[in-house]
Amino acid sequence: MSVIGYPLKRSLSPVFQQAALDHLKLDIRYEALPTSADRLSEAIQGLRAPEWLGANVTIPHKEAVLPLLDEVDDLCRRLGAVNTIVNREGKLYGHNTDVAGFLRALREDGGFDPAGGRVLVAGAGGAARAIAVALIDAGVASITFINRTFSRASRLVKELGSQAVDTELSALPDVFVSWRAATISCRLLINCTSVGMAGTKEEKDSPVPIELIPPGALVFDLIYRPTKTPLMAAAEKCGAGVLGGLPMLVYQGAASFRLWTGSDAPLEVMLKAARTGLSASGGREG
Ligand SMILES: NC(=O)c1ccc[n+]([C@@H]2O[C@H](COP(=O)([O-])OP(=O)(O)OC[C@H]3O[C@@H](n4cnc5c(N)ncnc54)[C@H](OP(=O)(O)O)[C@@H]3O)[C@@H](O)[C@H]2O)c1
């Protein structure tokens, strides 16, 4: 098995997936397969060989991979994105475990039931879309997207409209007054941008003005490197609940593991390996 993405220098999946396979004494290798866009079709075709159980797909190929597969499930069609491919006798099936990973982390690690709540999402990329579909299915009352590129946020609201029967969706421009208006009533604030990620120009920044973080909310930052982002540190300081991105990453991987092997993933082993992998790289790469 492998993870297919590009450039893939920092993927943690090989670390915790291999730890799980070894723990269960399964004679299977999981490796990183850096694949540029021009080689994607060839790499996917290669997965049809009997020695491949499947693969994970990550940035930037989650959308491009759809037409290369034989079948994709309903969730992938709604998201327009696949993160897990299963090879069954040469036929390739697409699934998406990001949604399940997100909801599990929110409920089990955040202790948060999203039903009926008002949610504020920073960002409007692929992760924001997956999270929004998860939250719509979980019955939230409203989702507001604030994104650097406003047109992308309003397009996302439009595209998700038909799926959101009981959820009010809105987009606001990334300016202080938007944050002030949206943070007043939100119970859950989720960072789906890369602002605050180690190794980027914005690693010391928060996507949200920190003076507006609502103390009564849960702040969920999807970033897992570093384990405590500037947004999380500020949220902790003002008394808000805080959740980082590592549990979601591991839970989506555990769901993929089950699809490939038919076995429950050894979660504790995976979490431990992921944490060790992160700290071995100072939380900055891996
Ligand atoms: N924990 C997990 O399992 C997990 C899973 C998926 C993703 N993630 C994390 O979620 C984040 C987003 O991933 P993605 O797949 O959605 O990526 P993506 O599709 O490339 O979207 C990136 C988002 O970040 C925004 N952004 C980037 N640089 C910015 C800046 N300097 N200032 C303000 N906004 C900025 C983009 O805004 P524009 O539209 O203006 O470019 C866009 O909304 C990443 O940090 C990723 O690591 C974590």
Side-chain angles (χ1 to χ4, degrees):
M1 292 181 302
S2 69
V3 53
I4 294 177
Y6 199 79
L8 264 197
K9 272 189 246 156
R10 294 153 58 92
S11 179
L12 267 186
S13 294
V15 175
F16 65 77
Q17 292 287 5
Q18 194 61 55
L21 292 163
D22 294 347
H23 178 80
L24 294 183
K25 300 193 171 23
L26 297 170
D27 186 17
I28 301 170
R29 300 289 315 158
Y30 185 108
E31 56 202 29
L33 206 66
T35 307
S36 52
D38 57 321
R39 302 208 38 236
L40 181 64
S41 175
E42 185 192 335
I44 299 300
Q45 198 55 27
L47 296 177
R48 296 178 189 277
E51 63 270 26
W52 286 96
L53 288 180
N56 278 130
V57 184
T58 189
I59 290 174
H61 302 318
K62 285 185 182 182
E63 290 89 16
V65 89
L66 257 88
L68 304 174
L69 306 177
D70 298 300
E71 273 183 40
V72 297
D73 65 18
D74 281 348
L75 183 58
C76 294
R77 259 182 246 116
R78 288 173 65 200
L79 294 171
V82 164
N83 83 330
T84 306
I85 299 173
V86 179
N87 176 23
R88 281 198 204 98
E89 293 167 359
K91 272 187 93 177
L92 299 180
Y93 297 83
H95 302 271
N96 194 300
T97 62
D98 284 332
V99 166
F102 165 75
L103 283 176
R104 185 170 184 181
L106 185 64
R107 289 185 169 128
E108 292 185 16
D109 296 69
F112 191 94
D113 177 6
R118 303 185 76 80
V119 185
L120 173 55
V121 172
R129 178 186 294 265
I131 265 71
V133 167
L135 291 170
I136 288 168
D137 289 358
V140 299
S142 72
I143 310 174
T144 302
F145 299 91
I146 299 184
N147 191 47
R148 175 179 63 176
T149 308
F150 176 65
S151 58
R152 198 174 181 191
S154 35
R155 195 166 62 239
L156 183 60
V157 165
K158 216 169 172 183
E159 287 167 3
L160 290 173
S162 61
Q163 301 186 32
V165 183
D166 298 317
T167 302
E168 187 189 317
L169 303 178
S170 56
L172 292 173
D174 186 359
V175 292
F176 191 83
V177 288
S178 302
W179 292 107
R180 194 170 53 201
T183 46
I184 287 171
S185 57
C186 85
R187 284 180 55 215
L188 174 62
L189 194 163
I190 308 172
N191 177 32
C192 296
T193 77
S194 48
V195 177
M197 189 192 284
T200 67
K201 268 198 298 191
E202 296 82 23
E203 67 178 355
K204 293 199 161 48
D205 298 341
S206 163
V208 182
I210 55 173
E211 62 274 36
L212 295 179
I213 295 171
L218 174 67
V219 175
F220 187 170
D221 198 329
L222 260 51
I223 292 172
Y224 53 85
R225 195 180 274 117
T227 47
K228 194 188 283 184
T229 62
L231 170 65
M232 289 164 71
E236 215 170 67
K237 223 170 169 181
C238 81
V242 171
L243 180 59
L246 196 66
M248 172 179 168
L249 179 77
V250 170
Y251 295 152
Q252 63 77 31
S256 301
F257 186 96
R258 193 164 192 1
L259 286 167
W260 295 316
T261 64
S263 302
D264 283 336
L267 261 184
E268 285 311 315
V269 171
M270 286 175 127
L271 277 164
K272 191 170 168 215
R275 287 196 190 104
T276 307
L278 261 184
S279 57
S281 59
R284 296 175 65 87
E285 56 175 324

